[in-house]
């Protein structure tokens, strides 16, 4: 049964069906579509087991944890672990590096949007598929391989960077991988190369959902391609942009651990040590592991993320009316 006719109006039969469905209780509606709720149960259980139950372990951030007494038997120390982190020499450095990489990365947020708009305006389905495939591929490469490629390409003697520099200047290129101040540029722009194509998928899908009659009406009215882009494409995907920006701000302190850790060396450690790598070293990699201290640092990171998420969602709802809750 069709819910809408050719002009977009709901038919009489469909209206009757909607009235019947709305008159049913929640239990009746769930029983009627029990297969869908059964499939929904699997991700809910997965989230509960692997995301909510481990939250109970956060209690050790307020304790001096030891293996013999366990989580609940260890002595309470209150906020001592947080105070220890705030007073440590690593606090300012790790927080500064984390915020620098996060905010720098957030500034590249429009790139996938521009790429999606470019693909949407590009004529020729064949060329679109080729460009999409080429730009999606880096996302599926392992982070370890990506870092290896970065080291090989940017090697000042044997890499493409070194070869081009020597060809143009006749001198040996400077070792940019050893310059700590350049770490943030290499980290962020290699991330753009790896993820911009894949991140544009959601915007391409949003563009595909725009009503084609809007383009037909605009074309009949004589709108140029840029005017269609400005008045149809961008407003059409603005709710999606708002949601994605809120999620990006909510993860502003959650930089990928693997890539930063793999790109670290003794020459750039002052610029590459972020909160997640410091937590790993304190909690697992150091000779004397301190699980309580590492948990307190990770909890501080999560609380800042949560506060930023709430702030971004509130601002987005006031400015655009869109939010995730």
């Amino acid at each position: 049964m069709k819910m809408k006719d050719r002009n977009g109006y709901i038919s009489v039969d469909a209206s009757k069906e909607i009235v019947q469905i709305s008159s049913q209780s929640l239990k009746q509606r769930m029983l009627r579509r029990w297969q869908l709720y059964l499939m929904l149960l699997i991700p809910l259980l997965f989230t509960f087991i692997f995301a909510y139950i481990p939250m109970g372990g956060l209690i050790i951030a307020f304790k001096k944890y030891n293996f013999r007494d366990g989580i609940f038997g260890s002595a309470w120390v209150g906020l001592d672990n947080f105070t220890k982190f705030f007073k440590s020499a690593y606090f300012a450095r790790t927080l500064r590096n984390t915020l620098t990489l996060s905010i720098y990365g957030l500034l590249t947020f429009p790139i996938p949007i521009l790429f999606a708009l470019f693909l949407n305006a590009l004529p020729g389905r064949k060329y679109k598929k080729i460009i999409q495939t080429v730009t999606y591929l880096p996302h599926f490469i392992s982070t370890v391989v990506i870092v290896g490629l970065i080291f090989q390409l940017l090697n000042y003697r044997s890499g493409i960077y070194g070869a081009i520099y020597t060809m143009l200047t006749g001198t040996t290129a400077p070792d940019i991988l050893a310059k700590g101040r350049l770490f943030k540029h290499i980290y962020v722009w290699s991330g753009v190369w790896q993820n911009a194509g894949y991140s544009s998928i959601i915007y391409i899908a949003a563009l595909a959902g725009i009503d084609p009659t809007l383009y037909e009406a605009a074309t009949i009215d004589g709108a140029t391609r840029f005017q269609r882009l400005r008045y149809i494409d961008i407003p059409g995907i603005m709710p999606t942009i708002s949601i994605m920006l809120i999620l990006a701000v909510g993860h502003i302190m959650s930089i990928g651990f693997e890539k930063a850790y793999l790109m670290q060396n003794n020459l750039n450690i002052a610029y590459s040590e972020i909160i997640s790598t410091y937590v790993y070293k304190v909690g697992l990699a150091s000779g004397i592991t301190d699980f309580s201290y590492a948990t307190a640092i990770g909890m501080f990171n999560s609380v800042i993320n949560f506060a930023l998420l709430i702030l971004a969602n509130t601002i987005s709802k006031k400015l655009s009316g869109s939010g995730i809750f």
Side-chain angles (χ1 to χ4, degrees):
M1 179 182 298
K2 292 183 179 180
M3 298 296 293
K4 291 184 178 180
D5 62 13
R6 185 174 300 175
N7 297 319
Y9 296 104
I10 298 175
S11 63
V12 176
D13 292 340
S15 301
K16 290 180 179 178
E17 185 176 350
I18 291 173
V19 172
Q20 289 174 355
I21 292 174
S22 61
S23 63
Q24 294 175 346
S25 65
L26 177 62
K27 183 179 179 180
Q28 288 174 324
R29 292 200 296 268
M30 291 180 69
L31 289 175
R32 184 179 179 184
R33 297 180 173 85
W34 64 271
Q35 299 92 340
L36 296 177
Y37 288 98
L38 183 62
M39 288 192 292
L40 180 64
L41 190 62
I42 297 172
L44 285 178
L45 281 175
F46 181 87
T47 305
F48 179 73
I49 293 172
F50 294 103
Y52 282 90
I53 291 180
M55 285 186 184
L58 290 176
I59 195 174
I60 68 173
F62 305 95
K63 292 191 169 191
K64 186 173 180 57
Y65 175 76
N66 62 70
F67 287 104
R68 185 181 60 186
D69 298 328
I71 293 178
F72 298 103
S74 300
W76 287 94
V77 294
L79 300 175
D80 287 358
N81 289 316
F82 295 93
T83 306
K84 179 182 175 183
F85 177 56
F86 297 150
K87 290 183 177 178
S88 72
Y90 289 97
F91 173 69
R93 189 170 77 175
T94 55
L95 185 61
R96 181 197 65 211
N97 293 337
T98 304
L99 288 175
T100 299
L101 293 179
S102 299
I103 295 173
Y104 193 176
L106 194 61
L107 293 177
T108 64
F109 176 79
I111 292 178
I113 302 170
L114 296 174
F115 182 68
L117 292 171
F118 163 74
L119 279 182
N120 188 57
L122 192 69
R125 186 180 178 87
K126 180 181 177 182
Y127 296 113
K128 284 184 182 180
K129 293 295 182 184
I130 294 173
I131 294 174
Q132 282 181 293
T133 303
V134 171
T135 53
Y136 292 171
L137 279 178
H139 177 79
F140 299 100
I141 301 175
S142 164
T143 304
V144 177
V145 177
I146 287 290
V147 173
L149 285 173
I150 293 171
F151 286 163
Q152 291 296 323
L153 294 172
L154 299 181
N155 189 287
Y156 73 106
R157 289 186 181 276
S158 59
I160 293 177
Y161 151 72
I164 294 175
Y165 188 95
T166 302
M167 181 180 67
L168 296 176
T169 65
T171 59
T172 303
D175 188 1
I176 59 175
L177 293 174
K179 295 182 181 297
R181 292 184 181 278
L182 298 179
F183 176 83
K184 57 179 179 292
H185 302 297
I186 299 171
Y187 180 91
V188 170
W189 288 106
S190 60
V192 171
W193 166 67
Q194 184 182 6
N195 297 313
Y198 186 79
S199 301
S200 66
I201 291 177
I202 190 167
Y203 302 110
I204 293 172
L207 286 167
I210 296 175
D211 190 349
T213 58
L214 294 176
Y215 294 104
E216 295 173 4
T219 304
I220 293 171
D221 290 341
T224 63
R225 186 65 194 91
F226 179 75
Q227 288 173 325
R228 295 198 298 271
L229 174 74
R230 180 179 176 184
Y231 295 108
I232 298 177
D233 290 345
I234 294 178
I237 63 173
M238 191 54 72
T240 305
I241 294 174
S242 300
I243 299 298
M244 297 306 294
L245 183 59
I246 292 170
L247 294 175
V249 173
H251 291 86
I252 197 168
M253 299 281 285
S254 300
I255 304 176
F257 157 78
E258 291 180 349
K259 188 177 173 186
Y261 185 72
L262 290 169
M263 291 179 67
Q264 277 184 357
N265 57 49
N266 292 331
L267 298 174
N268 65 23
I269 190 68
Y271 299 90
S272 62
E273 187 75 288
I274 58 177
I275 290 179
S276 58
T277 57
Y278 184 58
V279 168
Y280 168 72
K281 292 172 183 175
V282 170
L284 295 173
S286 63
I288 303 174
T289 55
D290 191 341
F291 293 123
S292 295
Y293 186 46
T295 305
I297 300 171
M299 189 174 178
F300 163 76
N301 196 38
S302 300
V303 169
I304 298 296
N305 270 333
F306 181 73
L308 290 172
L309 178 65
I310 298 295
L311 178 64
N313 188 67
T314 304
I315 294 174
S316 176
K317 289 183 74 174
K318 286 187 177 181
L319 294 179
S320 65
S322 299
I324 57 177
F325 53 85

